[in-house]
Amino acid sequence: MEVSNNKKITSPLYAFLFISSIFIQCLPYVSSIGVNYGTLGNNLPPPSQVAQFLKDKTIIDKIKIFDLNPDILRAFANTGISVTVTVPNGEIPKLLDIGYAKSYVDANIKPFYPQTKIDVIAVGNEILHWETPEVQNKLVDAMRTLYQALTQSGINTIKVSTPHSLGILLSSNPPSQARFRPGWDVGIIKPMLQFLRETKGPFMVNPYPYFGYNLPQADFLLFKQNNGVFDPFTKRTYTNMFDMLLDAVYVSMKKLGYDDVDIIAAETGWPSLGETFEPQCTVENAASYNGGLLRKAVTGAGTPLMPKKKIDIYIFALFNENTKPGSNAERNFGLFRPDFTPVYNIGIMKGQPLLPEPPKPLPRPALPQPQPRNPKESRNRKPGRSPAPAIPVQPAPKLPAQPLPQPAAPAGKKFCMPKPGATDAQLQAALNWACTNQGVDCTPVNAGGACFQPVTLRSHVAWVMNSYYQLHGKNNFNCDFSGSAVIVFQDPSYGTCKYLS
């Protein structure tokens, strides 16, 4: 409809549109909400149905997959949903060759782009935690070469990054004192941040408050009303662990001079069901945590140190995946069941209200007691990885074929022990790994050593796991061992075998 400049507009439709435009401009910034779309299930719907469901029924506008599955990439063409794809860890050494990188782009990206809105290519997952130093040292060069291959192919809108577990942090408590681990900080992370600055790519991290679960701090971890945690150096009060971990990453980046690089929470979530030793895995807790994430995303709420910074969040995971290894919790991170019914309602479906925001912190801030979570490898690649949480369990689980623990240790002391259900294969792998170039002196569990008796795999591994945990920072994520370890509070020392504490 053409409108003359010298006529007064009286159309009701025009007036509605004018008022609507003003209203829209007054809305708060709306960030994206993403999900990790894993496929370790034998009852999952086909990708075409998944894409249609997300587009028509949910407010999800981003997905992250753990490979370059062509069926998924085809299914999400022309949906408007952004897709982050993942290059397997094993491809990193080969990607140093520009010819190989270009052929990789030709085979895995160009057939689907731009019909499928691929926005980020993740080069591996949690490389600094899981891979050898040889692969770690090739990571940044592989990222640069892949980006060069993209630009030479005429693709200028796809970013290249890599997700990190929070094992990259030496400390995170309080956030103002956080920093990256020495060696990785200037050797790998700093040049990576320089690359991300040059290419305007995001720094991707996988923060999991779930893995730092302890009952006294449950409300703080779950976005519920709590006393708050006060950082005396920045004078900021934190109302949830998620913000605390992200600000720890931000401070660490700032100390290297790269606080201008965007941060993405590439993987974070909470399971709705677990084993008997995983009491934190409930529908209520999962809904509370993921509901808090969703509320942050759709309102664009930042963190105390990044109040106006955009942080995209990818919830783990889209579906419960029934063939994932590990504890029952690993198979119950999903927002949806395979038949598309929600496991709980948090406002992810179109037309649903968000969960209400909890009241402001109660008086008297609590002293900071956070634990970062880290080693959670993308749960959809390495068989047997699936970490279960390092959680305080009281009383301590009985460990077969190992002497009974001594009475409870003094307050504050914690020990890392094998889980009762850990398999011999898991225990042997943990023993081999910890006793090889990890700084653990394993001679006490060798013949003649103070902890050699009893001669059982479980007894020996218990001593080694705890030694590694005590020597490497005593963080919850140091007691993981691919989901086979758990933190306890009773001293397992016996006779002349004294456990580090």
Side-chain angles (χ1 to χ4, degrees), residues 245-304:
L245 294 177
L246 287 185
D247 272 357
V249 173
Y250 170 75
V251 167
S252 301
M253 295 167 63
K254 187 173 184 177
K255 288 178 179 177
L256 294 179
Y258 293 91
D259 54 321
D260 56 316
V261 175
D262 287 335
I263 297 172
I264 283 182
E267 189 183 321
T268 184
W270 200 286
S272 59
L273 184 66
E275 308 288 354
T276 55
F277 56 82
E278 298 169 317
Q280 73 275 37
C281 302
T282 66
V283 167
E284 178 188 359
N285 286 351
S288 181
Y289 180 75
N290 288 327
L293 291 177
L294 184 61
R295 188 170 54 246
K296 284 187 67 70
V298 301
T299 60
T303 68

Side-chain angles (χ1 to χ4, degrees), residues 154-197:
I155 301 175
N156 299 307
T157 60
I158 297 178
K159 308 303 181 185
V160 174
S161 187
T162 186
H164 300 281
S165 74
L166 292 195
I168 59 175
L169 297 177
L170 179 65
S171 62
S172 65
N173 178 15
S176 59
Q177 303 304 298
R179 63 189 180 102
F180 294 123
R181 290 186 178 276
W184 287 349
D185 53 355
V186 296
I188 298 176
I189 296 176
K190 186 172 182 177
M192 181 183 297
L193 289 170
Q194 178 62 33
F195 163 74
L196 295 175
R197 172 185 283 170

Side-chain angles (χ1 to χ4, degrees), residues 73-110:
L73 293 177
R74 274 190 291 268
F76 279 83
N78 303 311
T79 61
I81 296 174
S82 298
V83 180
T84 293
V85 298
T86 303
V87 175
N89 293 8
E91 295 289 334
I92 290 173
K94 293 180 281 188
L95 286 175
L96 296 180
D97 177 74
I98 185 62
Y100 182 84
K102 290 178 71 173
S103 66
Y104 199 85
V105 170
D106 289 342
N108 296 287
I109 302 298
K110 290 181 72 174

Side-chain angles (χ1 to χ4, degrees), residues 420-442:
T423 66
D424 285 350
Q426 287 177 306
L427 297 180
Q428 188 63 57
L431 183 70
N432 295 343
W433 181 77
C435 289
T436 307
N437 301 319
Q438 298 300 325
V440 178
D441 178 10
C442 294

Side-chain angles (χ1 to χ4, degrees), residues 52 95 124 165 186 227 278 294 343 352 385 396 416 420 430-431 445 461:
Q52 199 66 41
L95 286 175
S165 74
V186 296
N227 289 338
E278 298 169 317
L294 184 61
V343 178
Q352 279 186 351
R385 161 64 188 105
C416 182
L431 183 70
V445 294
V461 172

